[in-house]
Amino acid sequence: MLDTITFGLVAASSVVLVVAALLALYRLAVGPTGLDRGVASDVVLAVMIAGIGAHAIATGTSVGLIVILVLSLVGFTTAVGLARLITGASARERRFLAAEARAAHEARQRVERERAEREGSVRERAEQAGEHPGGEGSA
Protein backbone atom coordinates (compact mmCIF):
# COMPACT_ATOMS: atom_id res chain seq x y z
CA MET A 1 0.00 0.00 0.00
CA LEU A 2 2.74 2.44 1.00
CA ASP A 3 4.77 1.47 -2.06
CA THR A 4 1.82 2.27 -4.31
CA ILE A 5 1.36 5.71 -2.76
CA THR A 6 5.10 6.42 -3.01
CA PHE A 7 5.15 5.30 -6.64
CA GLY A 8 2.13 7.50 -7.44
CA LEU A 9 3.70 10.54 -5.79
CA VAL A 10 7.02 9.97 -7.55
CA ALA A 11 5.22 9.58 -10.89
CA ALA A 12 3.20 12.77 -10.34
CA SER A 13 6.28 14.73 -9.30
CA SER A 14 8.12 13.39 -12.34
CA VAL A 15 5.41 14.76 -14.63
CA VAL A 16 5.60 18.17 -12.93
CA LEU A 17 9.40 18.13 -13.17
CA VAL A 18 9.33 17.28 -16.88
CA VAL A 19 6.92 20.16 -17.56
CA ALA A 20 9.08 22.52 -15.50
CA ALA A 21 12.21 21.38 -17.33
CA LEU A 22 10.57 21.91 -20.73
CA LEU A 23 9.44 25.41 -19.79
CA ALA A 24 12.87 26.27 -18.40
CA LEU A 25 14.61 24.92 -21.50
CA TYR A 26 12.30 27.05 -23.65
CA ARG A 27 13.26 30.13 -21.61
CA LEU A 28 16.91 29.11 -21.86
CA ALA A 29 16.68 28.96 -25.65
CA VAL A 30 14.49 32.03 -26.23
CA GLY A 31 15.19 34.22 -23.19
CA PRO A 32 15.57 37.85 -24.29
CA THR A 33 18.34 38.68 -21.82
CA GLY A 34 21.32 36.93 -20.34
CA LEU A 35 19.73 37.15 -16.91
CA ASP A 36 16.69 35.20 -18.14
CA ARG A 37 18.97 32.51 -19.54
CA GLY A 38 20.95 32.37 -16.30
CA VAL A 39 17.83 31.96 -14.20
CA ALA A 40 16.51 29.32 -16.60
CA SER A 41 19.74 27.33 -16.34
CA ASP A 42 19.46 27.53 -12.56
CA VAL A 43 15.89 26.22 -12.78
CA VAL A 44 17.00 23.34 -15.04
CA LEU A 45 19.66 22.45 -12.48
CA ALA A 46 17.08 22.56 -9.67
CA VAL A 47 14.79 20.30 -11.69
CA MET A 48 17.67 17.87 -12.19
CA ILE A 49 18.35 17.87 -8.45
CA ALA A 50 14.66 17.23 -7.70
CA GLY A 51 14.56 14.46 -10.30
CA ILE A 52 17.59 12.74 -8.82
CA GLY A 53 15.98 13.06 -5.39
CA ALA A 54 12.77 11.48 -6.70
CA HIS A 55 14.81 8.67 -8.24
CA ALA A 56 16.62 8.11 -4.93
CA ILE A 57 13.27 7.91 -3.15
CA ALA A 58 11.80 5.53 -5.75
CA THR A 59 14.77 3.16 -5.71
CA GLY A 60 15.55 3.48 -2.01
CA THR A 61 19.24 4.17 -2.61
CA SER A 62 21.36 6.97 -1.20
CA VAL A 63 23.88 7.24 -4.05
CA GLY A 64 21.87 10.07 -5.60
CA LEU A 65 22.35 12.19 -2.48
CA ILE A 66 26.05 12.67 -3.23
CA VAL A 67 25.19 13.76 -6.76
CA ILE A 68 22.59 16.15 -5.35
CA LEU A 69 25.19 17.65 -3.04
CA VAL A 70 27.66 18.20 -5.88
CA LEU A 71 25.00 19.67 -8.18
CA SER A 72 23.85 22.00 -5.40
CA LEU A 73 27.37 23.33 -4.96
CA VAL A 74 27.73 23.79 -8.72
CA GLY A 75 24.38 25.59 -8.89
CA PHE A 76 25.29 27.91 -6.03
CA THR A 77 28.66 28.71 -7.55
CA THR A 78 27.18 29.49 -10.96
CA ALA A 79 24.47 31.68 -9.43
CA VAL A 80 27.07 33.70 -7.52
CA GLY A 81 29.27 33.95 -10.61
CA LEU A 82 26.35 35.14 -12.71
CA ALA A 83 25.44 37.76 -10.11
CA ARG A 84 29.02 39.04 -10.08
CA LEU A 85 29.05 39.10 -13.87
CA ILE A 86 25.80 41.05 -14.07
CA THR A 87 26.78 43.66 -11.49
CA GLY A 88 29.97 44.24 -13.47
CA ALA A 89 32.02 45.65 -10.63
CA SER A 90 33.29 44.31 -7.36
CA ALA A 91 32.47 45.99 -4.06
CA ARG A 92 35.97 47.45 -3.97
CA GLU A 93 35.54 48.99 -7.42
CA ARG A 94 32.14 50.41 -6.46
CA ARG A 95 33.61 52.02 -3.33
CA PHE A 96 36.43 53.50 -5.41
CA LEU A 97 33.99 54.88 -8.00
CA ALA A 98 31.77 56.33 -5.27
CA ALA A 99 34.76 58.03 -3.62
CA GLU A 100 35.90 59.36 -6.98
CA ALA A 101 32.43 60.78 -7.71
CA ARG A 102 32.26 62.34 -4.23
CA ALA A 103 35.68 63.99 -4.72
CA ALA A 104 34.65 65.34 -8.13
CA HIS A 105 31.45 66.76 -6.64
CA GLU A 106 33.36 68.44 -3.80
CA ALA A 107 35.85 69.90 -6.31
CA ARG A 108 32.98 71.34 -8.39
CA GLN A 109 31.46 72.88 -5.28
CA ARG A 110 34.82 74.39 -4.29
CA VAL A 111 35.28 75.90 -7.78
CA GLU A 112 31.76 77.35 -7.66
CA ARG A 113 32.41 78.89 -4.22
CA GLU A 114 35.71 80.40 -5.37
CA ARG A 115 34.08 81.82 -8.49
CA ALA A 116 31.25 83.30 -6.42
CA GLU A 117 33.78 84.83 -4.02
CA ARG A 118 35.78 86.31 -6.95
CA GLU A 119 32.63 87.74 -8.51
CA GLY A 120 31.62 89.16 -5.14
CA SER A 121 35.03 90.82 -4.62
CA VAL A 122 35.04 92.16 -8.18
CA ARG A 123 31.55 93.55 -7.65
CA GLU A 124 32.62 95.13 -4.34
CA ARG A 125 35.64 96.78 -6.00
CA ALA A 126 33.48 98.03 -8.83
CA GLU A 127 30.97 99.45 -6.36
CA GLN A 128 33.74 101.09 -4.34
CA ALA A 129 35.31 102.55 -7.47
CA GLY A 130 31.90 103.76 -8.64
CA GLU A 131 30.99 105.29 -5.25
CA HIS A 132 34.15 107.38 -4.88
CA PRO A 133 33.83 109.33 -8.11
CA GLY A 134 30.08 109.64 -7.61
CA GLY A 135 30.58 110.75 -4.01
CA GLU A 136 33.22 113.32 -4.93
CA GLY A 137 31.24 114.70 -7.88
CA SER A 138 28.08 115.22 -5.83
CA ALA A 139 29.80 117.00 -2.95
Side-chain angles (χ1 to χ4, degrees), residues 36-55:
D36 290 331
R37 288 185 173 95
V39 170
S41 68
D42 204 28
V43 169
V44 168
L45 188 64
V47 167
M48 286 175 51
I49 290 170
I52 293 170
H55 180 267

Side-chain angles (χ1 to χ4, degrees), residues 81-134:
L82 182 65
R84 293 273 317 248
L85 181 68
I86 288 173
T87 58
S90 67
R92 185 177 186 182
E93 291 172 0
R94 285 192 299 271
R95 283 194 305 268
F96 174 76
L97 292 173
E100 189 176 44
R102 193 171 35 252
H105 178 69
E106 290 171 359
R108 281 193 302 272
Q109 285 181 337
R110 186 175 57 247
V111 167
E112 290 293 324
R113 270 196 312 270
E114 290 172 356
R115 186 171 54 207
E117 289 173 3
R118 272 195 313 264
E119 289 175 358
S121 63
V122 167
R123 198 174 310 123
E124 286 176 8
R125 280 186 263 151
E127 288 174 0
Q128 289 174 355
E131 286 178 8
H132 289 299

Side-chain angles (χ1 to χ4, degrees), residues 49-75:
I49 290 170
I52 293 170
H55 180 267
I57 290 171
T59 59
T61 61
S62 62
V63 175
L65 300 179
I66 297 170
V67 176
I68 288 174
L69 179 64
V70 170
L71 285 177
S72 298
L73 291 173
V74 168

